[in-house]
């Protein structure tokens, strides 16, 4: 997963004197706790998982560079998402030729809507895990192929001898079922 | 608030956007929805955060333990709306479409010359009663009047199944009950899991009924049962006899004329006559079979047929498993391991592409590096072993192993079949091992000339097998004896007199080294020549092994005449416990 590789690479470049070590440990602790929420925020603003991963890597490097300016005991992910948003806008400016990015109006609306989901990301993740158990074995298998094994939609389509569109529809149905379950679990 | 149809359409847009597959037009629609609709915006954010969480979740860890599957939360209106939507939705194809798959060939039930006629039950049993008594050994039959309406089993899966009118709605997940009513599978296959952990696979036409949680009747049809130790004593009653499990896997075929075939694959059963005038019983053990003639009552021992019964089905992969092994030669030929591949088809080691004939007719220099094979989900990749110092990479995940340094020179490609492709001085011909001609049809084979290797992705194969496990890899391997027909008179004066050439010229036998690895761990290394007997390998494979690698290297006598092959390269399968 991109997150684990990122953390390993960062760790290799960090200084090893005592106070730096403490700062490093604190940074890694905060990052590990928030990385999913930060990535989720970026993916909300930027279409395409590959673009989001690139921006995420860039964001983490900047977070480390600027960590001294982070106020302890404040919300790390809120601070991190401010930097992430800046990186998103930078990415959009660099790729203005591509029209595959949200308009400013859409970006602002998404930014404000996303905060509720980022704040409760851990609760929703816990609910997701309980909901996965309720899937049929077949649908769990499809999810495993896609998200755990990292198979492309094309490869899954080849295995089940379906079209890619068929696999997308299947994945979408599974997502919908999970989200309905998550909402029920979280509100309960 | 979005309705289910709107959520479905929006979800598809979001998923394709995340995957980078969305068109500009679709993206503009998504952008518009996000601006115009707060509900769409909120749904979009929820969807993305669920997607992100899935990326970091160990899905295998969360095996299901809840009977209340959430997959059926949607109501009938939603599914109708989806059906209507899917009819009009634009099809997206990333690759040329393939023909709809055919189910794996399964032997058809042979009910003799008579055509199937659907009797009513009363006249059917009268016919049996009027027929000659059928005689068996051992009495154990106890018949407890069933309590009706008790749920005792679940329809786990079905494939091409059509049910009788009374059972028209039979979706997977449907609970099955005891009682006087019969379940009638008109055609196709059904897999049923009983609450006592017994698994039943039925092939239609078949009629059956549950008496209790561990007893059922089979009026006619074919049934295969896998009975675990805790379900010892599980009973199948037919019009003529009872079959009682004593810790087994067995298949029962009952036709309309009272004839019964019982084939015991594992363990032991007893047969008990249902005709009081002739109380006979028999133990029937693994590897044996009995046939009872419904008109004469004669009991004959018959040859066991381990492929007669369907043991497992998987509707997701449309596979039907009769206990046959998975053929790796078929996979090399572009198939799924069960006969959908083609002879002559194989993989070019230099590029990883699927090809059907020689690209280069001479010996050529291979290149270091591992090539993935996009054309097959079951082949992880191919490689040339032993080029230069250092380990050779053998998988897309970086698994490596050490080989002795080779010349790195190759000839041909890895293919499904066993023949010499033909060259200037050797005509095209079938290869031979231990005096037997290997034609690729009667005997499957993968030809791998020296200095080539191939890695199979067992995880991908397991995904298509459903509840069937990989038990072992088995194969015969060797260098074709036909080498002797041409090597004997080969003139080596046109070659540089290196040690390897001199050795070949002196011995007039071509030698190669055969290798087998599991996840990069060497399990076989054997040197075989064209003059020696073929080797045999039978290696157990654990459930967590991902990669099986086969490789051939040149030994120390050049790559010339290294016509090496794996004959009957198979994955031995068994039903999951």
């Amino acid at each position: 997963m991109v997150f684990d590789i990122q953390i390993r690479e960062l760790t290799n470049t960090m200084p090893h004197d005592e106070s730096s070590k403490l700062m490093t440990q604190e940074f890694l602790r905060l990052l590990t706790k928030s990385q999913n929420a930060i990535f989720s925020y970026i993916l909300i603003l930027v279409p395409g998982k590959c673009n989001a991963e690139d921006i995420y890597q860039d964001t983490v490097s900047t977070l480390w560079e600027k960590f001294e300016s982070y106020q302890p005991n404040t919300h790390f992910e809120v601070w991190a998402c401010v930097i992430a948003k800046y990186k998103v806008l930078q990415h959009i400016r660099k790729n203005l030729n591509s029209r595959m990015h949200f308009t400013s109006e859409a970006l602002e609306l998404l930014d404000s809507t996303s905060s509720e989901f980022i704040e409760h990301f851990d609760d929703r993740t816990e609910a997701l895990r309980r909901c996965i158990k309720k899937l049929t074995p077949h649908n769990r298998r499809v999810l495993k192929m896609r998200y755990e094994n990292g198979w492309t939609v094309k490869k899954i389509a080849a295995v089940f001898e379906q079209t890619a569109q068929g696999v997308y529809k299947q994945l979408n149905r599974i997502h919908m079922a999970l989200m309905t379950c998550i909402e029920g679990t979280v509100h309960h | 608030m979005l309705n289910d149809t709107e959520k479905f359409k929006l979800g598809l847009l979001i998923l394709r956007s995340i995957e980078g597959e969305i068109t500009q037009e679709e993206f503009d629609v998504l952008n518009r929805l996000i601006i115009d609709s707060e509900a769409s915006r909120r749904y979009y954010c929820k969807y993305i955060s669920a997607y992100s969480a899935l990326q970091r979740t160990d899905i295998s860890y969360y095996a299901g333990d809840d009977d209340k599957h959430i997959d059926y939360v949607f109501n009938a209106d939603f599914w109708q709306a989806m059906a209507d939507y899917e009819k009009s939705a634009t099809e997206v194809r990333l690759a040329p479409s393939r023909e709809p798959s055919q189910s794996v060939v399964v032997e058809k039930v042979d009910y003799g010359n008579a055509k199937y006629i659907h009797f009513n039950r009363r006249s059917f049993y009268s016919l049996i009663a009027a027929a000659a008594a059928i005689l068996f050994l051992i009495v154990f039959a106890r018949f407890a009047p069933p309590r009706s309406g008790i749920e005792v089993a679940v329809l786990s899966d079905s494939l091409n199944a059509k049910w009788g009118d009374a059972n028209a709605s039979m979706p997977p997940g449907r609970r099955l009950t005891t009682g006087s009513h019969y379940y009638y599978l008109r055609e196709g296959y059904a897999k049923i899991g009983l609450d006592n952990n017994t698994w039943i696979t039925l092939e239609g036409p078949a009629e059956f009924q549950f008496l209790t949680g561990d007893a059922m009747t089979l009026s006619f049809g074919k049934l295969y049962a896998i009975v675990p130790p805790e379900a010892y004593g599980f009973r199948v009653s037919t019009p003529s006899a009872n079959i009682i499990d004593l810790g087994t896997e067995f298949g029962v075929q009952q036709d309309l004329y009272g004839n019964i075939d019982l084939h015991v694959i594992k363990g032991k059963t007893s047969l008990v006559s249902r005709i009081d005038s002739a109380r006979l019983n028999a133990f029937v053990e693994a590897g044996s079979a009995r046939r009872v003639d419904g008109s004469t009552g004669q009991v004959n021992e018959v040859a066991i047929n381990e492929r007669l019964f369907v043991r497992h089905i998987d509707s997701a992969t449309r596979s039907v498993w009769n206990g046959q092994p998975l053929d790796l030669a078929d996979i090399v030929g572009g198939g799924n391991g069960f006969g959908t591949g083609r002879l002559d088809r194989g993989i070019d080691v230099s590029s990883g592409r699927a090809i059907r004939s020689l690209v280069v007719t001479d010996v050529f220099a291979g290149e270091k590096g591992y090539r993935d094979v996009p054309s097959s989900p079951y082949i992880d990749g191919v490689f040339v072993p032993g080029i230069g110092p250092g380990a050779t990479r053998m998988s897309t995940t970086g698994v490596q192993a050490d080989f002795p340094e080779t010349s790195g020179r190759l000839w041909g490609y890895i293919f499904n079949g066993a023949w010499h492709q033909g060259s200037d001085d050797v005509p095209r011909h079938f290869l031979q091992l231990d005096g037997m001609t290997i034609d690729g049809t009667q005997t499957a084979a993968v030809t791998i000339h020296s200095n080539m290797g191939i890695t199979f992705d067992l995880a991908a194969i397991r995904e298509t097998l459903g509840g069937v496990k990989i038990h072992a890899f088995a194969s015969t391997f060797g260098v074709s004896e036909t080498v002797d027909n041409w090597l004997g008179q080969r003139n080596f004066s046109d070659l540089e007199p290196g040690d390897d050439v001199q050795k070949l010229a002196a011995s007039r036998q071509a030698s190669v080294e055969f290798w087998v690895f599991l996840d990069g761990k060497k399990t076989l290394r054997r040197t075989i020549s064209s003059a020696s007997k073929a080797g045999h390998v039978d290696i157990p494979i654990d459930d967590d092994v991902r990669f099986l690698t086969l490789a051939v290297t040149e030994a120390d006598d050049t790559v010339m005449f290294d016509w090496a092959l794996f004959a009957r390269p198979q994955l031995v399968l068994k039903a999951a416990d």
Side-chain angles (χ1 to χ4, degrees):
Chain A
M1 289 285 172
V2 65
F3 301 146
D4 295 331
I5 294 167
Q6 179 86 44
I7 288 174
R8 277 205 299 276
E9 285 170 358
L10 267 182
T11 311
N12 290 339
T13 63
M14 287 170 174
H16 296 290
D17 59 280
E18 201 53 45
S19 71
S20 298
K21 261 193 203 171
L22 285 171
M23 193 167 88
T24 305
Q25 280 170 2
E26 180 61 8
F27 176 77
L28 291 174
R29 184 187 70 81
L30 290 166
L31 180 65
T32 308
K33 203 160 158 285
S34 310
Q35 59 189 355
N36 295 334
I38 299 168
F39 180 77
S40 185
Y41 173 73
I42 295 171
L43 192 58
I44 284 172
L45 298 182
V46 173
K49 189 167 51 113
C50 294
N51 290 332
E53 281 166 1
D54 289 343
I55 295 171
Y56 174 78
Q57 288 190 17
D58 204 9
T59 301
V60 170
S61 299
T62 304
L63 288 175
W64 171 241
E65 282 166 24
K66 294 186 179 306
F67 189 55
E68 279 177 351
S69 66
Y70 163 69
Q71 298 295 320
N73 302 319
T74 58
H75 288 292
F76 180 82
E77 59 264 20
V78 171
W79 175 73
C81 285
V82 168
I83 294 175
K85 185 175 174 187
Y86 171 72
K87 293 292 181 181
V88 165
L89 294 172
Q90 222 177 22
H91 168 86
I92 292 172
R93 274 197 297 276
K94 268 195 226 163
N95 295 280
L96 276 175
N97 288 340
S98 158
R99 288 173 43 221
M100 207 73 84
H101 53 81
F102 290 117
T103 57
S104 315
E105 192 184 355
L107 275 176
E108 287 311 313
L109 288 168
L110 284 172
D111 184 30
S112 65
T113 309
S114 65
S115 56
E116 174 195 334
F117 301 98
I118 302 303
E119 201 182 313
H120 297 292
F121 190 89
D122 289 341
D123 290 339
R124 299 181 73 83
T125 303
E126 185 49 41
L128 169 73
R129 288 171 182 159
R130 277 186 259 152
C131 293
I132 287 173
K133 285 187 177 192
K134 297 183 183 180
L135 291 173
T136 61
H138 169 70
N139 283 331
R140 249 195 324 278
R141 194 197 310 168
V142 171
L143 278 191
K144 181 171 174 273
M145 285 180 182
R146 181 68 197 90
Y147 296 112
E148 208 173 289
N149 298 353
W151 289 11
T152 60
V153 166
K154 191 174 173 181
K155 183 165 179 172
I156 298 172
V159 166
F160 289 127
E161 295 185 330
Q162 286 181 318
T163 62
Q165 178 76 339
V167 173
Y168 275 122
K169 285 176 187 170
Q170 194 175 9
L171 281 170
N172 190 33
R173 280 192 284 268
I174 298 170
H175 278 260
M176 284 177 70
L178 283 172
M179 284 163 59
T180 304
C181 176
I182 289 170
E183 292 308 304
T185 307
V186 163
H187 289 127
H188 180 73
Chain B
M1 185 84 167
L2 301 177
N3 61 36
D4 282 342
T5 309
E6 287 166 335
K7 284 179 185 173
F8 184 83
K9 290 180 184 176
L10 179 54
L12 264 186
L13 283 178
I14 298 170
L15 199 50
R16 285 162 53 74
S17 168
I18 296 171
E19 300 285 339
E21 294 292 337
I22 197 169
T23 64
Q24 186 64 56
E25 196 184 327
E26 289 168 335
F27 185 76
D28 291 342
V29 168
L30 179 62
N31 190 82
R32 195 76 248 155
L33 281 170
I34 282 169
I35 293 172
D36 291 346
S37 159
E38 189 194 343
S40 299
R41 206 157 50 241
R42 289 181 60 80
Y43 189 78
Y44 173 84
C45 291
K46 271 191 242 181
Y47 201 106
I48 298 278
S49 69
Y51 179 95
S52 297
L54 272 173
Q55 297 264 294
R56 287 284 287 172
T57 298
D58 183 357
I59 291 157
S60 313
Y61 181 76
Y62 297 97
D65 60 3
D66 192 322
D67 277 340
K68 297 188 186 114
H69 293 306
I70 58 169
D71 296 59
Y72 303 104
V73 297
F74 308 113
N75 59 30
D77 290 341
F78 168 78
W79 289 117
Q80 183 57 47
M82 284 305 101
D84 294 340
Y85 169 71
E86 290 183 21
K87 276 182 204 155
S88 59
T90 309
E91 199 67 32
V92 172
R93 294 182 189 276
L94 296 180
S97 62
R98 296 170 63 174
E99 290 297 318
S101 69
Q102 297 180 2
S103 300
V104 173
V105 171
V106 170
E107 296 183 36
K108 289 292 183 188
V109 175
D110 179 6
Y111 285 119
N113 293 328
K115 283 163 60 173
Y116 166 66
I117 304 168
H118 185 54
F119 290 104
N120 76 52
R121 210 160 287 116
R122 201 180 288 272
S123 62
F124 170 64
Y125 287 126
S126 301
L127 179 67
I128 295 299
I134 297 166
L135 305 182
F136 287 98
L137 303 175
I138 296 181
V139 177
F140 262 125
R142 276 191 295 275
F143 185 83
R147 290 168 60 199
S148 290
I150 308 296
E151 290 183 355
V152 293
V154 63
L155 176 63
S156 170
D157 199 1
S158 63
L159 183 61
N160 301 333
K162 291 193 175 126
W163 297 85
D165 291 339
N167 316 129
S169 172
M170 289 285 277
R174 160 92 182 257
R175 295 284 291 165
L176 307 180
T177 59
T178 60
S180 56
H181 67 275
Y182 285 76
Y183 294 99
Y184 172 38
L185 177 65
R186 282 195 287 124
E187 62 181 77
Y189 310 96
K191 190 164 178 85
I192 295 170
L194 278 76
D195 293 348
N196 67 1
N197 295 326
T198 297
W199 286 96
I200 302 288
T201 304
L202 288 140
E203 182 177 350
E207 187 179 78
F208 61 97
Q209 171 198 40
F210 290 103
L211 301 174
T212 66
D214 55 6
M216 64 181 293
T217 67
L218 179 70
S219 310
F220 56 86
K222 265 169 126 176
L223 170 157
Y224 189 84
I226 300 174
V227 188
E230 61 267 30
Y232 182 101
F234 174 73
R235 187 174 83 242
V236 178
S237 298
T238 73
S240 312
N242 289 336
I243 295 121
I244 298 170
D245 164 74
L246 300 173
T248 59
E249 287 182 35
F250 62 89
V252 179
Q253 176 176 302
Q254 166 86 55
D255 69 17
L256 294 172
Y257 302 94
N259 303 315
I260 299 174
D261 281 339
L262 170 65
H263 294 242
V264 181
I265 305 301
K266 198 171 158 186
K268 191 159 67 173
T269 66
S270 72
L271 282 174
V272 181
S273 166
R274 288 173 63 97
I275 310 296
D276 285 338
S277 60
R279 293 173 74 77
L280 295 176
N281 55 64
F283 282 121
V284 185
E285 298 198 352
S288 61
R290 299 284 189 277
R291 185 161 218 270
V292 179
D293 188 306
S295 55
T296 65
Q298 195 170 4
V299 180
N300 292 315
E301 191 164 343
V302 294
I304 185 150
N305 183 344
E306 295 197 5
R307 307 281 179 262
L308 182 59
F309 298 91
V310 173
R311 302 194 201 179
H312 178 77
I313 60 169
D314 188 88
S315 58
T317 56
R318 300 192 64 75
S319 59
V320 177
W321 186 57
N322 292 61
Q324 71 273 37
L326 187 142
D327 177 7
L328 291 175
D330 186 68
I331 286 184
V332 170
N336 62 2
F338 294 114
T340 60
R342 291 186 178 161
L343 289 174
D344 239 356
R345 191 177 153 161
I347 312 296
D348 172 32
V349 170
S350 300
S351 63
R353 285 189 306 116
I355 56 176
R356 294 188 64 187
S357 57
L358 283 176
V359 174
V360 176
T361 54
D362 292 330
V363 173
F364 62 97
E367 289 176 16
K368 196 176 173 86
Y370 187 77
R371 313 271 184 269
D372 68 330
V373 177
S375 59
S376 170
Y378 314 117
I379 300 175
D380 185 67
V382 291
F383 58 95
V384 178
I387 290 189
T392 296
R393 187 170 171 199
M394 296 199 304
S395 82
T396 49
T397 61
V399 169
Q400 298 180 86
D402 291 317
F403 288 91
E405 200 164 330
T406 67
S407 66
R409 295 176 67 73
L410 346 169
W411 188 83
Y413 62 112
I414 299 174
F415 66 94
N416 175 18
W419 43 83
H420 191 284
Q421 300 276 348
S423 62
D424 290 339
D425 46 358
V426 177
R428 187 177 167 97
H429 65 273
F430 288 124
L431 304 182
Q432 283 184 357
L433 286 182
D434 288 350
M436 189 169 67
T437 299
I438 315 287
D439 67 358
T441 50
Q442 299 292 327
T443 307
V446 176
T447 297
I448 306 182
H449 197 275
S450 57
N451 297 343
M452 292 195 273
I454 181 168
T455 296
F456 298 92
D457 188 342
L458 300 182
I461 292 171
R462 285 192 188 94
E463 291 295 345
T464 66
L465 293 176
V468 179
K469 290 171 52 161
I470 297 172
H471 179 62
F473 166 66
S475 184
T476 302
F477 55 93
V479 180
S480 177
E481 290 153 3
T482 59
V483 164
D484 295 339
N485 299 343
W486 286 279
L487 184 50
Q489 64 257 29
R490 178 65 160 87
N491 184 341
F492 289 95
S493 61
D494 58 327
L495 299 175
E496 283 186 27
D499 288 344
D500 50 358
V501 173
Q502 285 183 1
K503 184 164 182 190
L504 185 63
S507 70
R508 299 286 166 171
Q509 296 171 14
S511 296
V512 305
E513 285 201 285
F514 287 89
W515 306 75
V516 178
F517 299 85
L518 294 177
D519 283 344
K521 189 175 161 207
K522 183 175 62 188
T523 55
L524 174 84
R525 178 184 179 178
R526 183 99 58 91
T527 303
I528 290 195
S529 80
S530 52
S532 52
K533 288 186 105 36
H536 301 279
V537 63
D538 191 335
I539 301 169
I541 295 180
D542 290 337
D543 292 344
D544 58 353
V545 171
R546 173 144 184 213
F547 296 116
L548 166 68
T549 302
L550 310 180
V552 176
T553 54
E554 67 192 54
D556 57 356
D557 63 352
T558 86
V559 302
M560 297 175 69
F561 293 93
D562 284 354
W563 306 344
L565 63 147
F566 285 85
R568 290 201 190 95
Q570 297 172 348
L571 293 179
V572 179
L573 307 176
K574 65 174 193 175
D577 294 331

